[in-house]
Amino acid sequence: MSKAIENLQAALKQAMAGRPQIGGFPYLAENSAAGGRYTQSVVPARMPESLSDEDGPVVILGTPLSSGTVDVPPFNREALIAALRIDQAGKSTFPEFLEASWRAGVVRYDVGVMARKVAYYGCNGEEYIEDYPAVDVM
């Protein structure tokens, strides 16, 4: 196992242990992206697809939301915001959030940890950017 994988696994364990049920995303982001940024592909992965730290990039392959050839749903900003608010209120799991994001036409999102912003993207260049609060991770 590489040092990068060890770092990622330790960060995710720490993030899950310290994150509150409501408003937990900032804790995951702060712990998961030592390199300051990570990208999540909504399809096919269910976990952050690529994370980088000083020891190199890591890819986590998750269970696909679907398989085969599928139509990409149209980007729906309101549906995405609704999915975000449900997740922020602690009323969805991460897989449920990804599923709702996919139904809202999100194909990937970028987390900028230093700027504390998440940019959600549709397949035709649509974009929704949202700030998230700073948190103290110990």
Side-chain angles (χ1 to χ4, degrees), residues 84-135:
L84 286 165
R85 299 304 172 258
I86 289 167
D87 187 65
Q88 290 164 350
K91 297 180 180 176
S92 70
T93 63
F94 185 64
E96 290 168 338
F97 169 71
L98 286 183
E99 178 93 24
S101 298
W102 167 250
R103 287 192 312 269
V106 174
V107 294
R108 72 176 173 89
Y109 60 86
D110 250 348
V111 178
V113 177
M114 300 306 286
R116 293 188 176 81
K117 293 183 183 296
V118 183
Y120 300 86
Y121 299 99
C123 68
N124 293 314
E126 305 94 341
E127 178 182 76
Y128 173 73
I129 298 175
E130 185 165 286
D131 296 331
Y132 66 89
V135 295

Side-chain angles (χ1 to χ4, degrees), residues 33-113:
R37 169 171 246 61
Y38 72 84
T39 298
Q40 167 72 54
S41 290
V42 175
V43 172
R46 284 195 174 218
M47 285 296 293
E49 182 182 68
S50 59
L51 298 145
S52 295
D53 72 6
E54 63 276 359
D55 292 310
V58 177
V59 175
I60 300 173
L61 301 175
T63 305
L65 294 172
S66 62
S67 63
T69 304
V70 298
D71 289 317
V72 177
F75 190 80
N76 182 326
R77 183 179 188 270
E78 292 74 25
L80 171 59
I81 292 170
L84 286 165
R85 299 304 172 258
I86 289 167
D87 187 65
Q88 290 164 350
K91 297 180 180 176
S92 70
T93 63
F94 185 64
E96 290 168 338
F97 169 71
L98 286 183
E99 178 93 24
S101 298
W102 167 250
R103 287 192 312 269
V106 174
V107 294
R108 72 176 173 89
Y109 60 86
D110 250 348
V111 178
V113 177

Side-chain angles (χ1 to χ4, degrees), residues 12-24:
L12 290 174
K13 183 178 178 180
Q14 179 180 345
M16 293 306 291
R19 86 181 265 263
Q21 182 177 350
I22 297 173

